[in-house]
Amino acid sequence: MDSGSTLTFGNFVDGRLVAPRVARYIDVFEPATGSAFARCPDSDAGDVDAAVAAGAHAFPAWAALAAAERAALLNSVADRIEARIDEFAAAESRDSGKPVALARSLDIPRAVANLRFFAAAATQFASESHAMGTDAINYTLRQPLGVVACISPWNLPLYLFTWKIAPALAAGNSVVAKPSEITPYTAFLFAQVCIDAGLPAGVLNIVHGNGPGAGQALIEHPAIKALSFTGSTRTGAAIAAIAAPRFRKLSLEMGGKNPTVIFADWEATEANWNTIVRSAFSNQGQICLCGSRLLVERPFYDQFRKTFVEKVRALRVGDPRDPASDLGAVVSRAHFDKVMGHIALARDEGGTILCGGNAVNPAGRCAKGWFIEPTVIEGLDATCRTNQEEIFGPVVTLMPFDGDDEAIALANSTSYGLAASVWTTHLSRAHRVAARLESGIVWINCWMRRDLRTPFGGVRNSGVGREGGFEALRFFTEAKNICVDLHTA
């Protein structure tokens, strides 16, 4: 759909791209330029009703398909995304502000991998059986739920969109998905690919819109059997409050304030330095797994600070289309203001800005974009707001520690518990510290090494439930136990 030079995205309902029921649209901005380039539907409860009805109509036939047939269709979708990878990467960059090179190397390949992985996993997802001596046998059926909702965020738009819909579809559910209204472009392209791949009508429905409108209607819809959400802790808490009286199945992956714990005996190779920097500032720090609190053992602290700041200063902030750009723009003007506000707060709290702290105005087409220097802050107490609140931008703090116990206390000192990384060559220490960290994921001497078979999710204010591998397929199915008396069978 197009309207002059401005792209107009449609909802994807019952196998067709359609305009919203009421002709209301939301401007979609390119963060690198600060200009609107597209518009997406500002859908309402009526649009959600139509999508849920299409999903309910499609569900019985989809659920009845053999897992291998569903897998073949998901692989067909993956093939078509792979064939258009450059187009998808450019769209993801334009929509979110991230470098094109990052979208092409991470976001789009991972979306393809999500589809392929869950297509294969569904064919290996077996029932359990338990004999009760020679008297009876119990077996468990794993049955799809029906119409489920998937709400994905703006930071990794297609990556996390497919992370949710792939297991839901592979397990035999029909889906109503709501991508972020800030970054809807690749979800729109995904709908085109589904049409080309022959995905049955109504199996996947995509409704665009904002949280209070389409999102609220989807969360409250009585026909939705389960909801998978990734986003802020505040929004997750609101969703939980709505879903609880309805006894709706929930998976909530929310915020993080992740610690990177660096012991003095870590192996300070160039590759490890680069990983530490990348773990702090990838995607402008707008990844829920980024390490925003760097905790460094005191004997090594001064040396670490000097080298780390040098490497951060060398990062290039610029046009996402430029292959030389390490960081692009943050996702929106509102988010730019939020991040800059947190930097100002850090100064007010007594923090020292070691590098960064300012807006960037690249020359040329990006002169009015939303760019921020990668920022490193020290001198703050662990309990201050800067070290407690999720900033979700290119901002990290440095804090020294003495010994294992203080490192663990500092790492666990926030209300979050999504991810952590520990850097040490002392293997027994690595295991001891990892076991005591209150975190859903712990990396040792690495970061962002993801095996899709493993459970993913956080504890405390970082979430409820797990995604990934068979955990995701379990979430999107209902277990039914059947017991057969063998004497009467």
Side-chain angles (χ1 to χ4, degrees):
M1 296 183 177
D2 206 336
S3 175
S5 59
T6 301
L7 293 167
T8 301
F9 306 142
N11 289 329
F12 181 51
V13 178
D14 204 19
R16 297 180 299 119
L17 288 163
V18 297
R21 188 178 62 88
V22 178
R24 291 195 304 265
Y25 290 86
I26 299 168
D27 285 337
V28 180
F29 289 85
E30 181 176 6
T33 64
S35 299
F37 74 94
R39 57 183 196 156
C40 76
D42 185 9
S43 302
D44 61 15
D47 298 302
V48 171
D49 285 342
V52 173
H57 183 262
F59 170 68
W62 180 249
L65 274 183
E69 294 180 71
R70 294 196 296 266
L73 284 162
L74 291 178
N75 279 317
S76 182
V77 172
D79 290 342
R80 285 161 171 77
I81 295 173
E82 214 162 33
R84 297 168 60 178
I85 189 169
D86 290 330
E87 179 187 1
F88 270 87
E92 201 74 296
S93 171
R94 189 177 191 187
D95 222 9
S96 67
K98 68 182 61 183
V100 173
L102 180 64
R104 200 187 188 289
S105 65
L106 174 68
D107 294 63
I108 311 308
R110 174 56 189 275
V112 170
N114 287 339
L115 292 163
R116 295 203 194 287
F117 173 82
F118 285 109
T123 66
Q124 306 300 315
F125 190 48
S127 298
E128 297 175 347
S129 63
H130 307 279
M132 299 174 66
T134 58
D135 296 330
I137 188 168
N138 286 277
Y139 64 92
T140 303
L141 295 180
R142 278 280 172 183
Q143 298 178 314
L145 303 171
V147 185
V148 300
C150 297
I151 299 178
S152 51
W154 50 256
N155 61 321
L156 300 166
L158 191 68
Y159 177 149
L160 293 179
F161 178 84
T162 53
W163 181 235
K164 295 183 180 300
I165 68 165
L169 293 172
N173 302 282
S174 55
V175 175
V176 179
K178 194 197 90 64
S180 171
E181 70 276 15
I182 299 173
T183 53
Y185 197 172
T186 47
F188 172 71
L189 295 180
F190 190 90
Q192 294 178 339
V193 164
C194 288
I195 294 170
D196 293 343
L199 192 72
V203 166
L204 172 65
N205 304 276
I206 303 171
V207 179
H208 296 281
N210 61 39
Q216 189 86 4
L218 187 55
I219 295 161
E220 293 179 346
H221 201 287
I224 294 296
K225 304 299 183 184
L227 189 146
S228 177
F229 165 82
T230 296
S232 73
T233 299
R234 183 175 63 180
T235 303
I239 289 171
I242 293 168
R246 295 167 171 81
F247 305 105
R248 183 160 298 152
K249 205 171 186 182
L250 279 183
S251 174
L252 303 174
E253 195 268 283
M254 302 185 290
K257 192 71 175 174
N258 308 312
T260 300
V261 182
I262 303 161
F263 287 93
D265 68 349
W266 82 302
E267 190 175 5
T269 64
E270 189 66 17
N272 285 345
W273 275 113
N274 291 339
T275 300
I276 293 285
V277 173
R278 186 168 59 88
S279 73
F281 296 110
S282 281
N283 196 35
Q284 300 72 253
Q286 299 170 140
I287 297 178
C288 59
L289 301 171
C290 279
S292 57
R293 294 181 298 137
L294 277 66
L295 315 177
V296 185
E297 195 167 20
R298 198 175 299 276
F300 183 60
Y301 182 83
D302 290 342
Q303 181 184 342
F304 179 91
R305 176 180 56 190
K306 178 179 181 294
T307 304
F308 182 72
V309 169
E310 288 173 355
K311 291 186 175 295
V312 173
R313 282 183 175 145
L315 295 174
R316 179 173 174 179
V317 181
D319 190 336
R321 296 179 184 175
D322 185 348
S325 294
D326 298 299
L327 277 70
V330 298
V331 75
S332 68
R333 177 72 209 198
H335 195 59
F336 172 91
D337 290 340
K338 174 193 170 185
V339 175
M340 293 302 294
H342 272 285
I343 293 172
L345 172 65
R347 290 190 176 100
D348 291 342
E349 291 181 322
T352 299
I353 309 296
L354 299 179
C355 65
N358 302 303
V360 178
N361 298 107
R365 78 179 196 97
C366 295
K368 295 182 179 179
W370 304 311
F371 296 83
I372 299 174
E373 292 176 327
T375 301
V376 182
I377 306 167
E378 74 168 353
L380 290 169
D381 186 84
T383 62
C384 73
R385 287 179 57 194
T386 301
N387 274 321
Q388 291 293 315
E389 297 177 7
E390 184 180 41
I391 299 173
F392 215 61
V395 180
V396 300
T397 61
L398 294 182
M399 287 183 285
F401 68 83
D402 294 297
D404 296 13
D405 289 341
E406 187 179 11
I408 292 162
L410 287 171
N412 292 340
S413 65
T414 76
S415 62
Y416 296 102
L418 182 57
S421 59
V422 178
W423 294 81
T424 178
T425 55
H426 198 302
L427 186 59
S428 62
R429 167 189 275 161
H431 286 294
R432 287 197 311 269
V433 171
R436 293 173 62 191
L437 291 177
E438 295 172 1
S439 179
I441 304 162
V442 180
W443 285 289
I444 296 174
N445 298 327
C446 61
W447 177 74
M448 203 65 156
R449 296 286 295 273
R450 290 283 298 120
D451 185 324
L452 300 190
R453 294 170 295 183
T454 60
F456 177 90
V459 300
R460 300 187 293 178
N461 286 3
S462 287
V464 175
R466 291 293 181 269
E467 298 179 283
F470 287 159
E471 296 286 342
L473 294 175
R474 290 186 187 102
F475 174 76
F476 285 115
T477 55
E478 196 70 70
K480 177 188 291 183
N481 180 72
I482 298 173
C483 180
V484 180
D485 186 316
L486 296 180
H487 295 300
T488 58

